[in-house]
Amino acid sequence: MNINYKFERKMKKILYLFIIIPLLSFAKDKKSLSIDETLPIPNYKMKSVDGSFYSLNDLKTNEGILVIFTCNTCPFVVMWEDRYKMLEEYCKKNNIGMAYINSNYKRRNSVDSYKSMIEHSKNMNYNYQYLVDNKSKLANTFNAKTTPHIFLFDETNKLVYKGSIDNNYKDKSNVTEFYLKDAMDQMLKNKKIEINTTKAIGCSIKRYEN
């Protein structure tokens, strides 16, 4: 990772903690996909930062797929993004597919442009595809609320977990509830997901609306 970029991200974290975080709002999750619902529009193709087009079906493995709605600059993404690498390593180790989705249509000409996505992916050393959700089609179908917003599907394409990564966006060293990791562990062992839904906490997706 570029050292200057990394330093800038750390400084942003500190600034957000003292200035922006008091404005935190918890996203309503009433209309998002229901647990056990089947992966929607699995063959919808999206352009990735590598220049190729992929659907979620293309990126899914025999163990399922983790879908993360994210972006480049949201303060909650900035604070949770140190967990992304941990998730990548877990998915690779356990053969779970993974996809980063940028649905911020209204910021496509600024901080969430395709060019900015390419730069961000390189700076953060993403090892999974970072996809442009054109006109927020996937976000609107999932009714994803925030960046980040997590959706985990099992080998049968059924939704088994949705919500947040864990219970402490400010500091990974103080996490006490590893919601997503626990859900993935239980999914791989074919056990019931003890906590399958949590609040999505983050910036609202700047989506395309008809």
Side-chain angles (χ1 to χ4, degrees):
M1 183 189 299
N2 180 280
I3 295 176
N4 290 334
Y5 190 85
K6 185 176 182 180
F7 176 76
E8 180 183 339
R9 303 279 291 181
K10 285 186 175 180
M11 292 304 295
K12 283 182 179 179
K13 281 190 178 185
I14 295 171
L15 181 64
Y16 294 144
L17 282 171
F18 289 99
I19 299 177
I20 299 177
I21 298 309
L23 301 177
L24 169 67
S25 63
F26 289 76
K28 294 181 180 180
D29 201 27
K30 293 181 179 179
K31 296 182 180 180
S32 66
L33 295 179
S34 299
I35 295 299
D36 291 331
E37 194 166 344
T38 301
L39 176 68
I41 55 173
N43 295 312
Y44 163 53
K45 297 280 187 177
M46 295 166 282
K47 188 176 183 179
S48 183
V49 292
D50 71 356
S52 299
F53 288 79
Y54 302 89
S55 69
L56 294 182
N57 253 352
D58 294 329
L59 303 176
K60 178 181 175 292
T61 69
N62 291 335
E63 298 294 344
I65 186 168
L66 171 62
V67 179
I68 300 180
F69 288 90
T70 189
C71 63
N72 297 335
T73 62
C74 165
F76 299 97
V77 169
V78 170
M79 278 180 282
W80 248 314
E81 207 161 17
D82 56 4
R83 257 94 6 136
Y84 285 11
K85 186 56 60 179
M86 296 166 60
L87 294 174
E88 285 191 0
E89 292 171 357
Y90 185 97
C91 286
K92 181 179 180 180
K93 179 180 178 181
N94 293 283
N95 192 33
I96 299 173
M98 186 172 174
Y100 297 112
I101 310 295
N102 190 315
S103 303
N104 275 352
Y105 173 84
K106 292 181 179 178
R107 291 188 174 175
R108 202 66 73 206
N109 293 322
S110 57
V111 294
D112 285 305
S113 68
Y114 181 66
K115 180 179 179 181
S116 295
M117 286 175 59
I118 293 173
E119 294 173 353
H120 184 76
S121 176
K122 289 180 179 178
N123 285 321
M124 298 307 296
N125 195 28
Y126 284 176
N127 289 314
Y128 285 85
Q129 299 300 332
Y130 188 19
L131 306 159
V132 178
D133 179 19
N134 190 34
K135 291 189 175 180
S136 312
K137 182 176 180 178
L138 194 71
N140 288 334
T141 303
F142 277 54
N143 206 11
K145 304 294 185 181
T146 60
T147 53
H149 198 168
I150 307 299
F151 294 83
L152 176 65
F153 297 86
D154 68 10
E155 59 183 356
T156 67
N157 280 356
K158 295 294 181 64
L159 181 66
V160 297
Y161 176 80
K162 62 178 180 177
S164 295
I165 295 172
D166 54 48
N167 71 339
N168 196 320
Y169 56 85
K170 297 180 183 179
D171 184 1
K172 68 179 180 181
S173 65
N174 286 320
V175 172
T176 58
E177 294 286 346
F178 298 88
Y179 304 129
L180 177 56
K181 184 181 181 299
D182 288 347
M184 290 192 290
D185 284 341
Q186 292 157 11
M187 177 186 78
L188 291 169
K189 294 176 182 177
N190 294 315
K191 293 184 177 180
K192 180 181 178 181
I193 309 300
E194 295 179 4
I195 299 177
N196 59 27
T197 304
T198 58
K199 291 286 185 180
I201 304 170
C203 305
S204 63
I205 293 175
K206 309 305 183 289
R207 68 204 321 126
Y208 174 86
E209 298 174 350
N210 293 324

